[in-house]
């Protein structure tokens, strides 16, 4: 028999030991062969003692813990007692070895810096699992070894250097004694890691060194090393501890994590962490469930500034450096932590009420910040009023970042934006740029409530953040600047996302996320736009006021917490008395678009003077022609359907549930001439018969804007589904020729472009051009380049918002689809003037003219555009020049122009402007895609990591099985090596396959319909 070394955590009797306490003892023994046994009985009913026994292979550990005994090791928290190791007794004659010494070393014994294992080099081979460490989890989460309570980050950042240093101190709670703490870190060189066991009134804190191994998470594709496993010699006791890691890391080169940017010979550093890149900047528990305060200290070279999420508390100058100390933040998840560092300018807007709003820009650019400040101020007030919850995060800075992979990021207190979105010239900015700016600012501000105040606990519920922000942005902008027509734009976007959702490769809004790669893929149109469309459908179903009340309650109840979707549905169900949870699940948990069938019937009762009408409703899944998705009859939605009959202001509504048909009915003086099957813009498609469609189209003046847009969109969807002949385009679109409402014109332009891409045979092209020109003729008159018709910039009219926003659709369609020589000639005149001096041309005109002027451009035009990009006075001018570089029709000239992309003159994040423009047009799409393949390696070098993801979208240029095979052979293997590219490729190839099906099914019918009607000879 032998007894153990005594535990060395000496403790004093509890204060006021006679008071009842909740007692918890932890007994943790690690045996020689690494078998670990823990015993943690706890009594919460005021009992004053409890017993604990552990037996393993002949060893027996047995102790009774009593509140009053002085050896009770420590008091943690308010009333928790923790004993980490009491005694080990051999009770068997067979005992032949002893429990492993480290386990029996006292849990509180301090390691010293000269410990032979201290500061040991980190094994970064990534596959080594720390001795006995908890394994990785298949769901992509961290093993729950510790829960963070707060962070204290000290960073030393000099943007002129290639690396930075940091120390992360993280207060954690350990649920039970453990030898291991697992957290995230990617590409960090850990210099030292240790834990300080929480001090108690009785104990000095003790430092416990850890060895660190790095490993891949279970779900990680490509084996990305993202977890740090801290292994301690002996178990840390349950309760509070502080983990501290000192490290160095390179600045990131993929515009994520902490990265640096050079502008005008000056270096800056910025951050972008969502979804899982905070781990590239500091060791952390990088999951959105963990929301805790961050206190940041940033040391930078003297003369430059640092900004963080919270307000600067104090600044300390040293000989060479300045240290910025910031106030603790409100509880936030790691992905929302943000920094901006450099010789930055700051400008503040005057506001009557808090918060103060400042714009932070690179040197000398704050003069372009006034429009953004004005929009931020106005939209913030709008959102505060809608949510009935004051801005939650104290200070508010918006930051214009010169190189930025995303459009913007909602970091509380320090919202970052791509600078072209934020910095506009208040004298010259186009309405289109102002509108985009308002939308992106509204989106990021909406996140301050949806995502930042209440956070989705895991990435599978990302729609709680992004669907809401996308939904809210158009509401907020609509209230702030109705002229932008944002809510109607959103309704049109909800119709368009059905094309993505109808693909067999579409993902569900909510689906398992088990890796960083999965989390990255979730940031797509399905999460944002289908998420927003689902919220709109719920809102229409339960009523706007009820919806708003429920959301306000959701925000109040869950403020500063992370939640699952249940928290939202609880409020919606309660407020509405309906089963919103069940209804929403049919949209969120699987991909696909419901199609509602309508059969309108009417009984004309002339005697009574009124007619009774009804519409029989059914549902099925909408599928495009040639879809490889299975038509699953068991897949049904809960569809709230409303219809509007001719001459009636009120809607008749019903719910389609579980596949059962339903009926809506009404009475009218006579049988209604038409019934609109979706006046509320809910998430479903409908397919009226050709006759019903013609009735509705002829009655278009009685339809609202959303009703007209939805009618046109559904007509085109039924052509794409093979349920309607493309010949109907030729009958229906002319009925809308006198409709100059911008959203209607945009929908018509979109249909004409799609038809041009998919359905027009070469021999029908001239007739189709003439058809398109005819559709836009009267609209062109209304919004022509200039009032005098002289085509001179000096007589150009100053457009109102509507015509400015409509011009790209009308003149762009005429130039691109109808090849209208007059439009192209005028564009060239305006572009020449703009190239000489951008300020001489109204920006609203330039943004249409400059890209169109490239169509017939020669090589010399490339140099002119490159010069314009280089000397552009504003970001809007520069992007315009870049877009125009993707606009040449001649493949040879286009190829020369695209070569400019590979030069240093185009920044990585700007490549999208050129390629996006080139891939958006029929004439340049195929040559651009071929160019991407020919320069694949150079592009991959220019666009490291996931920045290359959009390159595979070129595969959508295919529209025949032969082309699709070619694309498959080139892209499929390559896409495997780019995060998020595999899904994009699958969608692009499927769209290409649908294009091929539609062409072979419908092109001949359109050709036939476009033939001039035979003239009847006169007698
Ligand atoms: Zn967002």
């Amino acid at each position: 028999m032998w007894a153990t070394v005594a535990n060395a955590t000496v403790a004093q009797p509890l204060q006021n030991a006679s008071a009842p306490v909740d007692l918890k003892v932890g007994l943790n023994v690690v045996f020689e062969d690494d078998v670990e046994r823990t015993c943690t009985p706890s009594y919460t009913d005021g009992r004053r003692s409890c017993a604990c026994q552990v037996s393993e292979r002949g060893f027996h550990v047995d102790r009774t813990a009593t509140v009053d005994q002085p050896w009770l090791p420590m008091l943690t928290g308010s009333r928790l007692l923790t004993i980490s190791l009491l005694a080990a007794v051999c009770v068997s004659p067979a005992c032949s070895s002893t429990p492993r010494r480290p386990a029996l070393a006292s849990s509180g014994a301090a390691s010293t810096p000269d410990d032979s294992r201290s500061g040991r080099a980190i094994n970064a081979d990534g596959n080594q699992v720390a001795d006995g460490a908890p394994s990785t989890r298949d769901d992509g989460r961290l093993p729950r070894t510790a829960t963070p309570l707060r962070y204290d980050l000290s960073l030393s950042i000099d943007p002129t250097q290639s690396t930075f240093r940091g120390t992360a101190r993280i207060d954690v709670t350990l649920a039970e004694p453990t030898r291991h703490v697992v957290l995230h870190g990617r590409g960090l060189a850990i210099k030292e890691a240790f834990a300080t066991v929480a001090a108690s009134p009785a104990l000095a804190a003790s430092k416990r060194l850890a060895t660190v191994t790095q490993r891949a998470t279970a779900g990680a594709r490509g084996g990305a090393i993202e977890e740090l496993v801290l292994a301690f010699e002996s178990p840390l006791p349950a309760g509070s501890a502080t983990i501290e890691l000192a490290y160095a890391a390179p600045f990131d080169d993929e515009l994520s994590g902490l990265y640096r940017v050079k502008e005008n010979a000056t270096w800056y550093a910025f951050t972008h962490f969502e979804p899982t890149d905070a781990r590239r900047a500091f060791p952390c528990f990088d999951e959105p469930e963990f929301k805790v305060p961050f206190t940041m200290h940033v040391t930078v070279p003297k003369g430059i500034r640092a900004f963080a999420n919270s307000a600067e508390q104090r600044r300390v100058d040293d000989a060479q450096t300045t240290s910025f100390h910031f106030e603790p933040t409100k509880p936030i998840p790691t992905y929302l932590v943000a920094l901006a560092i450099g010789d930055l300018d700051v400008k503040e807007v005057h506001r009557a009420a808090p918060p103060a709003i400042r714009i932070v820009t690179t040197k000398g650019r704050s003069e372009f910040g006034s429009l953004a400040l004005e929009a931020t101020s106005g939209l913030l007030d709008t959102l505060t009023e809608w949510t009935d919850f004051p801005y939650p995060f104290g200070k508010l800075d918006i930051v214009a970042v010169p190189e930025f992979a995303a459009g913007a990021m909602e970091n509380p207190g320090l919202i970052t934006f791509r600078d072209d979105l934020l910095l506009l010239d208040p004298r010259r900015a186009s309405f289109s740029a102002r509108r985009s700016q308002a939308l992106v600012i509204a989106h990021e501000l909406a996140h301050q409530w949806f995502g930042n105040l209440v956070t989705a606990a895991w990435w599978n519920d990302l729609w709680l953040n992004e669907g809401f922000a996308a939904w809210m942005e158009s509401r907020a902008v609509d209230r702030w600047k109705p002229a932008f027509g944002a809510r109607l734009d959103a309704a049109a976007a909800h119709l368009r996302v059905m094309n993505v959702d109808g693909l067999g490769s579409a993902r569900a809004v909510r689906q398992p996320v088990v890796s960083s790669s999965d989390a990255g893929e979730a940031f797509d149109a399905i999460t944002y736009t289908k998420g927003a469309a689902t919220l709109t459908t719920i809102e229409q179903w339960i009523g706007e006021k009820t919806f708003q009340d429920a959301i306000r309650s959701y925000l109040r109840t869950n403020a500063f917490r992370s939640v699952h979707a249940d928290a939202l549905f609880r409020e919606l169900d309660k407020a509405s008395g309906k089963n919103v949870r069940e209804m929403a699940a049919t949209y969120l948990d699987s991909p696909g678009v419901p199609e509602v069938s309508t059969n309108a019937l009417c009984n004309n009762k002339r005697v009574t003077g009124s007619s009774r009408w009804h519409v029989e409703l059914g549902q099925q899944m909408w599928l495009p022609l040639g879809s490889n998705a299975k038509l699953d009859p068991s897949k049904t939605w809960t569809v709230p359907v409303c219809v509007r009959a001719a001459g009636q202001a009120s809607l008749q509504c019903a719910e389609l549930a579980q596949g059962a048909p339903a009926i809506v009915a009404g009475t009218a003086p006579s049988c209604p001439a038409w019934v609109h099957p979706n006046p509320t813009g809910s998430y479903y498609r409908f397919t009226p018969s050709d006759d019903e469609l013609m009735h509705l189209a002829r009655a278009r003046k009685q339809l609202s804007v959303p009703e007209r847009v939805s009618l046109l969109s559904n007509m085109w969807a039924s052509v794409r589904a093979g349920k309607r002949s493309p010949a109907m385009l030729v009958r229906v679109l002319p009925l809308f020729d006198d409709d100059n409402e911008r959203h209607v014109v945009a929908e018509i332009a979109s249909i004409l472009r799609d038809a041009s891409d998919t359905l027009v045979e070469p021999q029908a092209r001239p007739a189709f051009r003439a058809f398109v020109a005819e559709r836009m003729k009267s609209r062109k008159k209304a919004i022509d380049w200039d009032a005098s018709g002289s085509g001179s910039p000096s007589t150009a009219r100053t457009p109102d918002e509507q015509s400015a926003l409509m011009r790209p659709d009308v003149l762009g369609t005429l130039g691109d689809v109808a090849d209208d020589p007059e439009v192209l000639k005028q564009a060239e005149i305006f572009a020449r003037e703009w190239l000489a001096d951008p300020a001489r041309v109204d920006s609203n005109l330039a943004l249409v003219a400059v890209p169109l002027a490239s169509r017939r451009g020669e090589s010399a035009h490339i140099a002119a555009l490159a010069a314009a990009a280089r000397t552009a006075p504003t970001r809007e001018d520069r992007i315009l020049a870049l877009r125009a570089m993707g606009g040449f029709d001649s493949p040879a000239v286009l190829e020369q122009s695209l070569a400019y992309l590979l030069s240093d003159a185009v920044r990585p994040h700007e490549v999208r402007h050129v390629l996006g423009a080139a891939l958006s047009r029929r004439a340049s799409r195929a040559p651009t895609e071929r160019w991407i393949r020919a320069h694949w390696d150079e592009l991959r070098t220019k666009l490291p990591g996931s920045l290359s993801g959009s390159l595979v979208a070129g595969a959508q240029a295919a529209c025949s099985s032969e082309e699709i095979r070619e694309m498959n052979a080139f892209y499929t293997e390559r896409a495997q090596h780019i995060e998020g590219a595999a899904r994009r490729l699958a969608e692009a190839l499927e769209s290409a396959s649908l294009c091929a099906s539609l062409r072979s099914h419908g092109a001949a019918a359109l050709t036939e319909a476009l033939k001039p009607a035979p003239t009847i000879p006169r007698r």
Side-chain angles (χ1 to χ4, degrees):
M1 178 187 258
W2 57 268
T4 69
V5 294
N7 66 76
T9 42
V10 182
Q12 294 177 340
L14 290 169
Q15 304 289 319
N16 189 16
S18 60
V21 295
D22 297 333
L23 181 64
K24 179 176 182 177
V25 293
L27 179 59
N28 182 266
V29 182
V30 181
F31 290 85
E32 196 169 40
D33 53 357
D34 276 331
V35 176
E36 188 166 350
R37 286 291 178 270
T38 302
C39 166
T40 53
S42 60
Y43 297 100
T44 55
D45 58 357
R47 285 175 58 174
R48 303 176 62 79
S49 71
C50 57
C52 203
Q53 296 186 342
V54 173
S55 293
E56 184 78 30
R57 303 187 190 182
F59 290 105
H60 181 78
V61 184
D62 182 359
R63 280 309 287 253
T64 299
T66 314
V67 168
D68 305 313
Q69 284 190 336
W71 52 261
L72 284 172
M74 64 184 66
L75 173 66
T76 60
S78 57
R79 309 190 96 179
L80 275 182
L81 301 174
T82 299
I83 300 166
S84 58
L85 179 69
L86 302 176
V89 181
C90 180
V91 294
S92 160
C95 293
S96 57
S97 60
T98 57
R100 220 163 63 107
R101 276 205 67 80
L104 294 175
S106 62
S107 60
S111 303
T112 56
D114 61 355
D115 182 308
S116 62
R117 304 187 71 166
S118 69
R120 173 184 282 192
I122 303 312
N123 177 354
D125 69 10
N127 296 316
Q128 206 174 11
V129 175
D131 200 14
S135 12
T136 54
R137 283 173 49 161
D138 290 340
D139 61 2
R141 314 289 294 265
L142 287 171
R144 288 304 190 251
T145 53
T147 306
L149 297 173
R150 69 187 62 79
Y151 288 74
D152 195 290
L153 296 178
S154 298
L155 296 164
S156 182
I157 298 173
D158 179 353
T160 65
Q161 303 298 308
S162 58
T163 59
F164 62 94
R165 286 178 290 116
T167 302
R169 299 188 61 198
I170 314 170
D171 291 348
V172 299
T173 300
L174 306 170
E176 54 189 39
T178 179
R179 276 188 59 226
H180 299 100
V181 171
V182 185
L183 67 170
H184 286 111
R186 184 168 175 174
L188 309 178
I190 308 292
K191 307 291 185 196
E192 186 184 42
F194 59 88
T196 309
V197 177
S200 73
L203 287 174
S206 59
K207 187 175 167 183
R208 311 274 302 280
L209 285 160
T211 55
V212 183
T213 50
Q214 307 194 22
R215 67 183 185 185
T217 52
R221 283 177 221 152
I225 310 300
E226 297 187 293
E227 284 186 2
L228 304 174
V229 182
L230 275 51
F232 297 91
E233 288 282 338
S234 57
L236 305 178
S240 301
T242 300
I243 309 291
E244 186 162 335
L245 298 102
Y247 64 98
F251 285 105
D252 193 88
D253 62 355
E254 296 178 24
L255 304 183
S256 53
L258 175 57
Y259 65 96
R260 60 192 188 132
V261 176
K262 194 176 191 182
E263 188 177 70
N264 299 331
T266 303
W267 284 101
Y268 301 87
F270 300 97
T271 53
H272 182 72
F273 291 162
E274 195 180 26
T276 59
D277 288 324
R279 63 191 67 171
R280 294 180 190 232
F282 57 93
C284 55
F285 298 82
D286 200 6
E287 294 182 8
E289 181 180 333
F290 299 125
K291 287 178 80 169
V292 299
F294 284 76
T295 306
M296 286 179 273
H297 317 273
V298 183
T299 301
V300 297
K302 219 167 184 174
I304 69 174
R305 298 180 69 173
F307 295 82
N309 300 85
S310 52
E312 186 183 319
Q313 204 169 42
R314 66 198 161 86
R315 208 182 281 197
V316 180
D317 278 327
D318 208 340
Q320 306 290 328
T321 59
T322 305
S323 294
F324 291 82
H325 301 274
F326 298 95
E327 289 175 359
T329 66
K330 287 277 202 293
I332 56 173
T334 41
Y335 79 87
L336 290 175
V337 173
L339 292 169
I341 286 145
D343 189 7
L344 295 156
D345 280 354
V346 181
K347 183 177 175 174
E348 186 168 341
V349 67
H350 174 73
R351 275 172 63 83
I357 300 175
R358 304 184 297 179
I359 188 166
V360 178
T361 71
T362 52
K363 196 74 195 156
R365 300 193 67 82
S366 64
E367 62 168 311
F368 295 118
S370 57
L371 288 177
L373 284 171
E374 185 191 322
T376 306
S377 184
L379 289 163
L380 188 77
D381 292 342
T382 304
L383 285 160
T384 307
E385 188 196 325
W386 194 94
T387 57
D388 194 28
F389 196 109
Y391 172 70
F393 297 101
K395 73 128 182 164
L396 177 53
D397 293 334
I398 53 175
V399 188
V401 183
E403 284 189 40
F404 201 58
M409 180 63 212
E410 66 264 23
N411 320 297
L414 197 72
I415 309 178
T416 44
F417 295 80
R418 222 170 60 211
D419 68 356
D420 58 83
L421 290 162
L422 218 49
L423 301 181
L424 299 180
D425 185 342
R427 293 153 302 176
R428 291 187 48 230
S430 67
F431 287 122
S432 173
R434 289 166 196 250
R435 179 175 147 278
S436 299
Q437 181 188 71
L439 285 166
V440 72
I441 290 174
H443 181 97
E444 303 312 325
L445 289 177
H447 271 310
Q448 305 309 312
W449 290 266
F450 302 103
N452 297 4
L453 179 66
V454 183
T455 306
W458 187 240
W459 302 109
N460 62 338
D461 266 331
L462 180 64
W463 71 284
L464 284 178
N465 300 1
E466 296 300 349
F468 259 111
W471 177 86
M472 194 75 236
E473 73 184 46
S474 58
R475 302 304 168 107
V477 172
D478 222 38
R479 282 170 176 230
W480 180 64
K481 278 272 175 358
F484 287 151
R487 195 161 164 178
L488 291 173
D489 285 335
H494 297 172
L495 290 163
R496 277 196 301 276
V497 81
M498 293 179 187
N499 293 335
V500 182
D501 198 20
L503 295 174
S505 55
R507 52 176 282 277
V509 174
R510 279 199 298 202
Q511 67 178 38
V513 170
V514 300
S515 67
S516 294
S517 176
D518 288 348
E521 279 188 12
F523 289 81
D524 67 356
I526 291 293
T527 299
Y528 283 64
T529 316
K530 188 182 178 185
T534 303
L535 291 169
T536 301
T537 304
I538 295 169
E539 182 196 30
Q540 293 298 315
W541 188 38
I542 68 176
E544 292 198 11
K545 177 74 173 64
T546 306
F547 185 80
Q548 186 179 27
D549 289 345
I551 301 307
R552 286 176 167 184
S553 176
Y554 162 74
L555 293 172
R556 276 194 309 272
T557 310
N558 300 291
F560 299 109
R561 289 167 52 191
S562 292
V563 300
H564 297 279
D566 266 2
L568 173 70
F569 294 131
R570 210 173 298 128
E571 299 292 342
L572 289 168
D573 288 357
K574 193 171 76 184
S576 67
K578 293 182 174 179
N579 194 338
V580 178
R581 178 189 314 259
E582 203 172 283
M583 173 270 194
T586 64
Y587 295 87
L588 299 173
D589 292 341
S590 55
V593 182
E595 179 181 38
V596 171
S597 62
T598 55
N599 182 27
L601 300 162
C602 182
N603 187 6
N604 230 341
K605 287 187 180 157
R606 298 216 164 95
V607 180
T608 58
S610 78
S611 302
R612 180 143 187 89
W613 59 269
H614 72 268
V615 182
E616 295 166 0
L617 305 167
Q619 65 162 297
Q620 58 180 332
M621 183 185 265
W622 180 85
L623 287 178
L625 188 72
S627 169
N628 60 13
K630 284 219 167 63
L631 190 60
D632 176 6
S634 67
K635 165 67 190 163
T636 60
W637 291 258
T638 301
V639 193
V641 179
C642 293
V643 306
R644 188 165 79 82
Q648 304 207 334
S650 64
L651 307 179
Q652 303 298 323
C653 301
E655 282 152 37
L656 280 168
Q658 294 170 349
I663 282 183
V664 286
T667 53
S670 61
C671 282
W674 51 263
V675 172
H676 194 292
N678 191 2
T680 58
S682 292
Y683 197 75
Y684 60 87
R685 278 188 158 147
F686 59 88
T687 307
S689 68
D690 283 354
D691 281 350
E692 287 166 335
L693 174 65
M694 290 303 287
H695 282 307
L696 279 160
R698 288 196 187 100
R700 64 153 200 82
K701 289 189 175 158
Q702 299 165 51
L703 303 182
S704 68
V705 175
E707 285 170 344
R708 270 137 58 205
V709 171
S710 131
L711 180 68
L712 289 162
S713 168
N714 279 285
M715 172 191 68
W716 177 237
S718 57
V719 170
R720 291 193 56 231
K723 292 183 174 175
R724 193 185 310 284
S725 168
M728 284 301 282
L729 297 182
V730 179
R731 293 179 63 195
V732 173
L733 293 183
L735 297 174
F736 287 79
D737 277 352
D738 60 349
D739 192 336
N740 279 348
E741 203 291 324
R742 158 169 101 74
H743 300 85
V744 174
V745 174
E747 191 60 36
I748 290 170
S750 157
I751 291 170
L752 291 173
R753 280 177 184 269
D754 281 359
S756 170
D757 287 351
T758 52
L759 281 172
V760 181
E761 296 177 315
Q763 68 272 25
R765 184 64 63 185
F768 186 71
R769 284 192 193 118
F771 177 74
V772 172
E774 195 59 29
R775 302 292 70 76
M776 295 295 161
K777 196 167 74 181
S778 66
R779 292 168 177 135
K780 177 170 175 284
K781 268 191 202 135
I783 51 95
D784 210 349
W785 303 98
D786 70 280
S788 72
S790 67
S792 163
S794 60
T795 56
R797 64 174 76 176
T798 303
D800 62 277
E801 278 135 328
Q802 288 317 304
S803 59
L805 293 170
M806 188 161 78
R807 183 175 287 108
D809 283 320
V810 174
L811 299 183
T813 305
L814 278 168
D816 281 338
V817 187
D819 293 340
D820 184 308
E822 193 198 328
V823 166
L824 292 176
K825 189 172 140 231
Q826 289 213 329
E828 287 158 11
I829 295 170
F830 276 77
R832 261 199 301 280
E833 196 79 10
W834 182 84
L835 285 167
D837 177 4
R840 279 197 227 158
V841 182
D842 182 301
S843 295
N844 297 290
L845 300 173
L847 75 88
V848 188
V850 175
L852 278 179
S854 296
R855 303 291 180 260
R856 306 188 292 196
E858 302 289 342
S859 303
H861 197 56
I862 302 171
L865 289 171
R870 195 171 54 246
T871 59
T874 69
R875 287 277 190 261
E876 191 178 6
D877 293 319
R878 178 171 168 85
I879 290 172
L880 195 49
L882 291 173
R883 279 179 46 219
M885 295 189 94
F888 295 93
D889 277 356
S890 153
V893 180
L894 180 67
E895 202 170 309
Q896 287 175 41
S897 183
L898 293 176
Y900 182 72
L901 271 189
L902 300 172
S903 73
D904 288 342
V906 179
R907 291 174 162 184
H909 80 288
E910 292 176 324
V911 168
R912 75 177 89 192
H913 299 302
V914 189
L915 286 184
L919 287 170
S920 71
R921 294 187 316 114
R922 187 181 60 86
S924 50
R925 193 174 296 138
T928 303
E929 191 281 326
R930 283 196 297 274
W931 182 87
I932 290 173
R933 275 192 272 164
H935 297 86
W936 181 261
D937 291 341
E938 294 146 278
L939 283 165
R940 289 283 285 129
T941 307
K942 174 135 195 167
L943 304 172
S946 56
L947 291 179
S948 290
S950 58
L951 294 178
V952 301
Q956 210 169 329
C959 193
S960 72
S961 46
E962 194 186 323
E963 288 167 342
I964 292 166
R965 266 197 302 279
E966 209 178 304
M967 306 288 178
N968 233 327
F970 183 84
Y971 290 108
T972 301
E973 203 274 329
R974 287 172 173 82
Q976 299 303 321
H977 305 290
I978 309 172
E979 245 176 44
R983 173 170 297 284
R984 285 197 208 191
L985 179 63
E987 289 175 0
L989 289 173
E990 192 180 348
S991 298
S993 159
L994 298 179
C995 175
S997 298
L998 183 59
R999 183 171 291 178
S1000 65
H1001 174 83
L1006 184 64
T1007 303
E1008 192 57 33
L1010 287 168
K1011 283 182 182 162
T1015 47
I1016 299 161
R1018 281 191 191 169
R1019 301 207 170 178

